[in-house]
Amino acid sequence: MRTLIILTFLAVLVMAATCYESQESMESHEHYYPFINRRRANDFIQADTRLGAITQERIRERTKAPHERQREICEDYYPCELYAYRHGYAAAYRHYFGKRRTK
């Protein structure tokens, strides 16, 4: 009789431990629900104004000013970058790349 009570008590403890529903387990069920509220929808769907701004930024990246391109070239070449810290990027670019002819 005593072992039956102990086994029953252990079974209740195991059941309570495995059937506990935490807040984390409730969050996982939200992913399976196909509909979300309006506030959460705005978190991952970009508005048209944001898409326009991203497009404009991409266009600006393609058409860079000549001095910006020269600075990036100089930053990629370590001796030019060291020279630029002392004399400026324009002088460093002229010093390392100004003598080259572009075709």
Side-chain angles (χ1 to χ4, degrees), residues 11-100:
V12 169
L13 282 177
V14 168
M15 186 176 65
T18 57
C19 295
Y20 172 72
E21 190 152 342
S22 67
Q23 189 68 13
E24 294 172 354
S25 65
M26 290 302 290
E27 290 174 358
S28 64
H29 294 297
E30 291 175 357
H31 297 290
Y32 298 117
Y33 188 66
F35 303 105
I36 57 175
N37 62 17
R38 292 179 185 167
R39 290 181 185 169
R40 294 230 17 236
N42 289 333
D43 290 343
F44 64 90
I45 296 178
Q46 295 179 343
D48 291 335
T49 56
R50 286 192 223 160
L51 290 175
I54 290 172
T55 304
Q56 288 296 323
E57 182 65 27
R58 296 292 177 246
I59 290 171
R60 273 187 239 117
E61 285 178 1
R62 277 190 252 144
T63 57
K64 292 182 180 177
H67 66 277
E68 189 175 351
R69 272 188 260 124
Q70 291 174 358
R71 182 179 178 138
E72 288 179 355
I73 290 169
C74 190
E75 285 176 348
D76 290 339
Y77 186 56
Y78 187 68
C80 183
E81 188 175 16
L82 290 178
Y83 192 89
Y85 286 141
R86 291 185 179 207
H87 304 285
Y89 279 100
Y93 184 82
R94 279 193 308 269
H95 180 73
Y96 285 98
F97 302 105
K99 297 174 185 173
R100 295 182 182 177

